[in-house]
Amino acid sequence: MDFKFDEEQQLLQQVTNKYALTRLAPEADRWKNEPFAPEIVKELGDLGILGMRVPAEYGGSKASFVAMGIAAEELARGDFNVSYFLQLSAIAAKLLDGADEEIKQQWLPAIASGDSIVAFALTEPGVGSDAANLTCSARRDGDDWIVNGEKSSITFAGSADGCVVFCRTGGPGARGISMIFVPLDLPGVSRTKYASAGGHLSERGSLFFDDVRVPANHQIGVEGTGFIGAMEAFDFNRAIIALAAIGTASQSLDETIEYTKTRETFGQPLAKREGVAFQIAEHLALLHATRLLSYEVLALADAGLPHTSEAAMCKWLGPKQSVEAIHACLLLHGWTGYGTDLPFVQRLNDVMGLEVGDGTPEIMKAIIAREAFGREFSSYK
């Protein structure tokens, strides 16, 4: 086992860290009230961030999952929300690998360059964790699919150019679900954005499909295998989410360490007080353990080995431990930490959103238990 990054990975870490702290961090507060600048998405494309899981023949680099984790962790030191662009580009590349060649030629280079954003539409108003019971449908009409339904809480609903829509094309349950790629400028598509405490860059919202006609070649993979595709994408991305959360929390701890070394009370720096220093030490240890677990998941993914249980572990622990660490940093800064001049409140709200999104803590624990005890003892069926 080798716990250190190689030279190429260290360079990626350094370049991404510098970009995050010099370009992203100073701008992070803007996006609460302003539209996100498209030139930053293009910069992510130019840096190679958005093409990390896109094959080279389509303009990407097909980098390792571990490299993707490094990029997510460092980007999130500047702005947690920017990691969504990395996540969704990688998921789109994964799913579109099974698409018609015409679709791949049109969309994969645009994803890698930052010219197009592709969303992932699984959740529905009455279907969150119980995703196998979705109701959004697609029926064949000659050489087309006709898509109807609503998808809710979709990342980039407000700005995506295309979307992989999980539709019911067959009978009940997971085996009746297929993936249809839907360009979001088609007639019958509408959208709305939600107001949220955090995650403003994600433009989370609903997508509505009203008799949207899509060519038959926009089906991705074999009919009835959509649910499998969704679960495979979740596995690796759960580690990416954890590392993005850890990156934001680690930056918060670094800033708090520097603050407590200079802030004096009763004639001594806060850092000399066990009640302060031991809090930070505890969070450093817990984040480090979760970070190693997350990179283990990505190494397993690179090796083509199973990692479902480990992915659920880090998806549960990553946001949880990070929220607790950021909360501690906020408190240690006192009233200034609770104010909007410092980033802790916004970071807390941003990371807290991923305690819910992409799998709740209860579902993550259910997956871990299912893998340990066997499917016959599963909590949710």
Side-chain angles (χ1 to χ4, degrees), residues 329-341:
C329 292
L330 185 159
L331 296 178
L332 290 172
H333 277 79
W335 278 110
T336 56
Y338 190 59
T340 55
D341 289 339

Side-chain angles (χ1 to χ4, degrees), residues 39-377:
E39 59 265 25
I40 294 183
V41 183
K42 290 291 294 178
E43 287 173 10
L44 294 171
D46 292 342
L47 284 169
I49 298 296
L50 302 181
M52 294 190 81
R53 294 303 299 170
V54 174
E57 60 267 31
Y58 300 104
S61 60
K62 198 64 172 181
S64 68
F65 286 110
V66 167
M68 187 181 160
I70 293 169
E73 184 180 5
E74 297 307 321
L75 283 176
R77 282 181 169 269
D79 187 343
F80 174 80
N81 295 297
V82 173
S83 72
Y84 283 112
F85 294 100
L86 171 61
Q87 292 177 45
L88 269 294
S89 67
I91 291 173
K94 163 71 175 174
L95 299 179
L96 291 181
D97 185 58
D100 184 86
E101 184 61 27
E102 178 185 341
I103 303 297
K104 291 196 283 191
Q105 291 283 354
Q106 179 180 354
W107 288 91
L108 286 176
I111 290 168
S113 66
D115 289 326
S116 294
I117 296 171
V118 172
F120 173 94
L122 180 64
T123 303
E124 297 180 5
V127 180
S129 298
D130 190 13
N133 283 319
L134 60 83
T135 61
C136 181
S137 65
R139 60 179 174 83
R140 282 298 293 267
D141 181 30
D143 292 331
D144 295 329
W145 286 104
I146 309 297
V147 180
N148 280 285
E150 176 186 352
K151 293 295 183 178
S152 61
S153 196
I154 305 304
T155 301
F156 297 138
S159 57
D161 303 288
C163 187
V164 178
V165 183
F166 292 81
C167 304
R168 187 158 303 284
T169 58
R175 294 181 181 178
I177 298 171
S178 300
M179 291 183 284
I180 309 291
F181 183 78
V182 181
L184 294 179
D185 59 354
L186 293 177
V189 175
S190 58
R191 58 180 102 197
T192 185
K193 291 191 287 185
Y194 303 159
S196 300
H200 302 289
L201 282 188
S202 70
E203 292 194 289
R204 194 169 57 92
S206 288
L207 295 170
F208 303 91
F209 304 95
D210 184 10
D211 285 338
V212 178
R213 186 173 289 271
V214 182
N217 73 341
H218 282 49
Q219 176 184 320
I220 300 174
V222 177
E223 188 173 342
T225 61
F227 193 77
I228 296 171
M231 296 305 106
E232 289 177 348
F234 276 143
D235 273 359
F236 78 79
N237 196 56
R238 284 171 175 157
I240 301 300
I241 289 169
L243 286 166
I246 290 164
T248 301
S250 296
Q251 183 64 30
S252 299
L253 285 170
D254 287 351
E255 293 165 3
T256 304
I257 288 169
E258 291 307 308
Y259 171 75
T260 57
K261 289 195 295 188
T262 58
R263 172 73 165 97
E264 290 193 359
T265 61
F266 303 100
Q268 285 192 322
L270 284 175
K272 278 198 165 187
R273 306 194 180 281
E274 290 181 357
V276 172
F278 286 11
Q279 277 191 67
I280 292 174
E282 180 178 331
H283 290 298
L284 287 171
L286 293 171
L287 286 176
H288 185 66
T290 309
R291 182 176 183 267
L292 291 178
L293 172 62
S294 301
Y295 279 113
E296 180 192 5
V297 168
L298 297 178
L300 289 170
D302 281 326
L305 297 172
H307 51 281
T308 296
S309 181
E310 294 87 347
M313 290 175 188
C314 63
K315 171 57 179 65
W316 165 46
L317 288 171
K320 174 183 182 294
Q321 303 290 10
S322 297
V323 163
E324 292 175 0
I326 297 167
H327 186 213
C329 292
L330 185 159
L331 296 178
L332 290 172
H333 277 79
W335 278 110
T336 56
Y338 190 59
T340 55
D341 289 339
L342 293 180
F344 302 112
V345 173
Q346 192 58 54
R347 288 173 180 170
L348 189 67
N349 288 337
D350 290 339
V351 174
M352 194 182 301
L354 267 300
E355 289 193 278
V356 178
D358 286 60
T360 65
E362 293 76 20
I363 293 300
M364 296 303 101
K365 293 173 191 176
I367 292 170
I368 298 164
R370 182 195 69 200
E371 296 296 306
F373 291 96
R375 290 183 177 271
E376 63 271 29
F377 295 98

Side-chain angles (χ1 to χ4, degrees), residues 18-35:
K18 181 178 180 181
Y19 177 75
L21 297 183
T22 60
R23 178 70 167 115
L24 299 181
E27 302 267 275
D29 198 50
R30 284 180 56 191
W31 317 125
K32 288 185 288 186
N33 304 305
E34 295 181 32

